[in-house]
Each structure stands twice: as structure tokens, then as C-alpha cells.
């Protein structure tokens, strides 16, 4: 399998389009948007882009296959967890961390914690919410906890 490089601009475009569809709850169009990106191995210019890409996928999968639409044990629900974990792994490679990478890490950990919580995995999500708060001091992670 060959690697396709995803540049920062393409990731920003994907993020913008995904956000619009997420807000509009256009899940079928969201699936169509993601289709060309799936099943392809991507390379990235930097760890931040890689983390941002997987974070976008996690958010989209969470909306498309959320617990209201799928069984909690389904493979589809696990796609969001896998994407968030890939995003977290990538953002933690940024050394030294920047304000932008810490903010993204906080968002990733908050959403990962929320996703795990919706699956009933409460003891798994608490460390993510705690870490998210340490990164950004954003009270959303504490509210989730």
C-alpha cells in the first residue's frame, strides 16, 4: 500500500467541511466526505497534522456511529476510540509541546473520555479528563467528569 501525504491545507479543508456537516447533523454526507480518506495509509508533514486528522476522524465517527445509533459493543463505535487514541499518540510526540498542541491534546482527551464514558467505561475515561484539564484548564473536561 502506498502512502499519500496529507498536507496541512487539506486537513484544514476536511476539518471545515466536517464541522459544517457535524453541526447540520448531515451524517450521510459526512460518510461521503470521509470515504476518500479511508482505507488509505497517509503520511503527514508533522505530528500536529497527524493528530488533527485523527481527531477529525474520531469526531466524525462518534457522530456517525454514536451509541444512539449502534450497539455499545459494535465495531463501528470502536472506530472513534481508535481514532482518538491515534490522535493522542501523535500529539504527545510534539516536544516541546506548544499552546496549540496542548489545546488539541485537551480536546482529544476530553472527547476520548466522553466516548469511553458513553460506552460505560467510566474508570477508563477519568484519567483522560484529568489530563485534559491539566493541559488546558478548560472546565469542559471537569464537567464531563
Amino acid at each position: 500500500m502506498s502512502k499519500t501525504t496529507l498536507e496541512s491545507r487539506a486537513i484544514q479543508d476536511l476539518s471545515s467541511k466536517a464541522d459544517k456537516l457535524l453541526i447540520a447533523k448531515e451524517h450521510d454526507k459526512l460518510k461521503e466526505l470521509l470515504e476518500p480518506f479511508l482505507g488509505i495509509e497517509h503520511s503527514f508533514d508533522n505530528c500536529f497534522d497527524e493528530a488533527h486528522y485523527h481527531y477529525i476522524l474520531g469526531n466524525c465517527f462518534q457522530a456517525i456511529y454514536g451509541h444512539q445509533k449502534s450497539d455499545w459493543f459494535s465495531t463501528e463505535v470502536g472506530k472513534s476510540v481508535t481514532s482518538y487514541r491515534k490522535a493522542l499518540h501523535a500529539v504527545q510526540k510534539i516536544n516541546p509541546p506548544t499552546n496549540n498542541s496542548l489545546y488539541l491534546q485537551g480536546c482529544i482527551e476530553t472527547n476520548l473520555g466522553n466516548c469511553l464514558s458513553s460506552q460505560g467505561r467510566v474508570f477508563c475515561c477519568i484519567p483522560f479528563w484529568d489530563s485534559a484539564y491539566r493541559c488546558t484548564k478548560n472546565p469542559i473536561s471537569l464537567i464531563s467528569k
Side-chain angles (χ1 to χ4, degrees), residues 77-91:
V77 173
K79 288 182 178 184
S80 55
V81 172
T82 301
S83 295
Y84 288 136
R85 287 190 184 273
K86 286 180 180 180
L88 185 58
H89 178 72
V91 80

Side-chain angles (χ1 to χ4, degrees), residues 4 12 19 30-31 44 56-58 66 81 97 99 101 108 112 141-142:
T4 302
Q12 284 296 344
D19 284 347
L30 197 55
K31 282 182 186 179
F44 303 91
I56 295 165
L57 290 183
V81 172
N99 288 338
S101 70
I108 294 165
L112 176 55
S141 57
L142 291 181

Side-chain angles (χ1 to χ4, degrees), residues 6 20 33 44 58 84 122 130 145:
L6 274 179
K20 288 176 185 170
L33 175 68
F44 303 91
Y84 288 136
V122 179
D130 289 343
K145 185 177 172 182

Side-chain angles (χ1 to χ4, degrees), residues 4-11 42-50:
T4 302
T5 300
L6 274 179
E7 296 177 355
S8 296
R9 186 73 205 137
I11 295 168
H42 298 286
S43 62
F44 303 91
D45 292 332
N46 55 63
C47 292
F48 186 87
D49 286 348
E50 181 179 1

Side-chain angles (χ1 to χ4, degrees), residues 105-115 128-129 132 140-141 144:
Q105 181 175 339
C107 292
I108 294 165
E109 290 176 324
T110 298
N111 287 5
L112 176 55
N114 292 345
C115 187
F128 292 113
W129 289 329
I140 297 297
S141 57
S144 295

Side-chain angles (χ1 to χ4, degrees), residues 31-136:
K31 282 182 186 179
E32 289 175 22
L33 175 68
L34 294 182
E35 206 167 292
F37 294 93
L38 303 177
I40 298 172
E41 191 174 345
H42 298 286
S43 62
F44 303 91
D45 292 332
N46 55 63
C47 292
F48 186 87
D49 286 348
E50 181 179 1
H52 190 199
Y53 171 74
H54 289 294
Y55 175 67
I56 295 165
L57 290 183
N59 289 339
C60 293
F61 289 145
Q62 179 66 13
I64 295 168
Y65 304 117
H67 66 280
Q68 295 89 0
K69 298 171 195 68
S70 303
D71 292 324
W72 66 270
F73 53 84
S74 71
T75 305
E76 289 84 15
V77 173
K79 288 182 178 184
S80 55
V81 172
T82 301
S83 295
Y84 288 136
R85 287 190 184 273
K86 286 180 180 180
L88 185 58
H89 178 72
V91 80
Q92 288 175 334
K93 287 193 256 181
I94 299 172
N95 192 13
T98 63
N99 288 338
N100 286 340
S101 70
L102 288 172
Y103 179 79
L104 180 59
Q105 181 175 339
C107 292
I108 294 165
E109 290 176 324
T110 298
N111 287 5
L112 176 55
N114 292 345
C115 187
L116 292 170
S117 176
S118 72
Q119 295 176 6
R121 299 170 60 185
V122 179
F123 292 115
C124 296
C125 56
I126 292 172
F128 292 113
W129 289 329
D130 289 343
S131 179
Y133 183 73
R134 283 191 301 274
C135 286
T136 62

